[in-house]
Amino acid sequence: MDLSIKMFSDIPSVVRHHWNAGNINWPMGIYITLVHVVGLVGVAKLVECSKETLMWAFLLWPISGFGITVGVHRLWSHRSYSASFPVRFFLMLCNSIANQGSIYHWARDHRVHHKYSETDADPHNAMRGFFFAHMGWLYLKKHPEVIRAGKELDFSDLHEDPVVMFQKKLDPWFALYMCFVFPAQIAVRFWGESFWPAFFVAGGLRYMIVLHFTWFVNSAAHLYGDHPYDVVSYPSENTYVSFFAVGEGWHNWHHKYPFDYAASEFGISSQFNPSKLFIDILATVGLVWGRKRGTAAWDMGRARRERDREAGVPLPKPTPRPWEAISAIKQE
């Protein structure tokens, strides 16, 4: 269901159900729980950190965020633009700081998500509710349909990229180092910070927060917001998610035109999208090229919608989500 008091009150019964069914992914579940323990220790360590370390932790938000948005999402998952080797290597490092799984595995699951969005084959199917789409899916074994779908898609382009394979070969140790230890080493080396406060704040706390920012794209942006481009698609335009996820909340557009490198209709002047701005800057200096856009397709789609409107054809409506259908039945 959506984000509500009932969602939280139902968590114990849902946990019991999956416990009895043997669906719990123990290694990942333990890891995600430990991540939050480390993050909470980071909260306690905030008072021990210098202002330089706090600023460094803040800067690691967009740095690691670009590793997801500019890198594994728009470049490697959707191939919405092409990038030179130095850019790909830099984005791989940023992605490793983000530590959300290797580029290969992230892109594999994301391509499955787009092809089978809001079905059993979707790794974080929002039809199963806010909590599942946000982080619950990581605590459970993958649905058999997700596994089947992942075996059917072509990932040869990822195998052919040496940067992707380099990171995959070192997974997960390189990402764990870049996520937790590297930020602390920078703080120790350049402004004399103590290692452990930097480890828990610039590493653990920042990591936990950015994880939730990314997860909001799967949960909040699939449940709350406007649907101006595809009225029967559940992904929505969510300004708040766009801010926290450095430009990834314009989700109705993105699911309509996943090949668009901007993942939004407009640029930074109209929609918060620093990820698009960063790609544009790289293109200006010739480090990326072949940026694809969905604006021409939308111009034609908008013209068709206007013709239908003038002819009195109503816009279609999305199928109610399970909890919406139950609520409608109760109100009858």
Side-chain angles (χ1 to χ4, degrees), residues 181-201:
V181 180
F182 172 73
Q185 288 179 327
I186 292 293
V188 171
R189 173 66 177 82
F190 290 99
W191 53 87
E193 182 64 89
S194 298
F195 179 84
W196 289 112
F199 175 91
F200 283 110
V201 174

Side-chain angles (χ1 to χ4, degrees), residues 38-308:
V38 171
L40 291 176
V41 172
V43 174
K45 293 287 185 180
L46 283 171
V47 295
E48 300 180 25
C49 290
S50 65
K51 60 181 183 297
E52 291 87 357
T53 299
L54 297 178
M55 179 57 69
W56 173 229
F58 179 81
L59 290 175
L60 284 171
W61 162 29
I63 289 172
S64 60
F66 283 164
I68 300 299
T69 62
V70 179
V72 69
H73 186 213
R74 305 186 192 189
L75 175 61
W76 282 296
S77 293
H78 293 295
R79 295 294 176 183
S80 62
Y81 68 97
S82 298
S84 61
F85 179 85
V87 169
R88 300 201 319 276
F89 191 81
F90 171 74
L91 290 174
M92 181 273 293
L93 295 178
C94 294
N95 178 268
S96 298
I97 296 173
N99 189 25
Q100 296 183 16
S102 72
I103 292 168
Y104 180 87
H105 293 103
W106 201 105
R108 179 197 64 192
D109 285 354
H110 192 71
R111 291 180 185 181
V112 171
H113 161 67
H114 268 267
K115 185 169 183 178
Y116 299 101
S117 185
E118 323 288 22
T119 70
D120 286 338
D122 183 346
H124 33 80
N125 177 14
M127 285 292 191
R128 296 178 66 173
F130 182 96
F131 184 78
F132 178 85
H134 190 74
M135 60 187 296
W137 64 285
L138 293 165
Y139 280 88
L140 300 178
K141 297 176 182 177
K142 289 183 177 180
H143 193 285
E145 285 299 300
V146 175
I147 298 173
R148 178 195 59 78
K151 294 178 179 179
E152 293 179 351
L153 300 185
D154 179 20
F155 305 107
S156 58
D157 60 311
L158 300 175
H159 285 284
E160 293 168 0
D161 191 326
V163 174
V164 175
M165 290 297 102
F166 169 79
Q167 189 205 43
K168 183 175 183 291
K169 183 177 181 179
L170 298 178
D171 185 60
W173 310 114
F174 183 67
L176 289 171
Y177 164 76
M178 292 296 292
C179 177
F180 293 103
V181 180
F182 172 73
Q185 288 179 327
I186 292 293
V188 171
R189 173 66 177 82
F190 290 99
W191 53 87
E193 182 64 89
S194 298
F195 179 84
W196 289 112
F199 175 91
F200 283 110
V201 174
L205 178 57
R206 180 271 315 166
Y207 174 48
M208 181 186 73
I209 291 172
V210 174
L211 273 180
H212 281 281
F213 288 170
T214 303
W215 292 341
F216 276 128
V217 179
N218 300 333
S219 56
H222 273 257
L223 294 168
Y224 307 108
D226 300 325
H227 306 82
Y229 307 108
D230 189 346
V231 295
V232 297
S233 175
Y234 295 108
S236 60
E237 302 287 283
N238 191 304
T239 304
Y240 300 106
V241 173
S242 293
F243 175 77
F244 292 116
V246 289
E248 293 288 32
W250 311 113
H251 224 46
N252 193 243
W253 175 276
H254 175 60
H255 270 258
K256 182 71 172 178
Y257 308 111
F259 58 86
D260 188 321
Y261 86 95
S264 64
E265 180 181 5
F266 305 109
I268 193 72
S269 60
S270 301
Q271 293 175 308
F272 185 77
N273 195 345
S275 296
K276 176 184 183 298
L277 178 63
F278 184 64
I279 296 171
D280 289 339
I281 292 172
L282 293 174
T284 301
V285 296
L287 292 174
V288 309
W289 58 90
R291 292 167 293 169
K292 302 171 186 175
R293 287 293 268 145
T295 49
W298 169 235
D299 288 341
M300 292 186 290
R302 181 166 48 194
R304 285 194 299 270
R305 184 180 294 184
E306 287 298 316
R307 289 195 297 269
D308 289 344

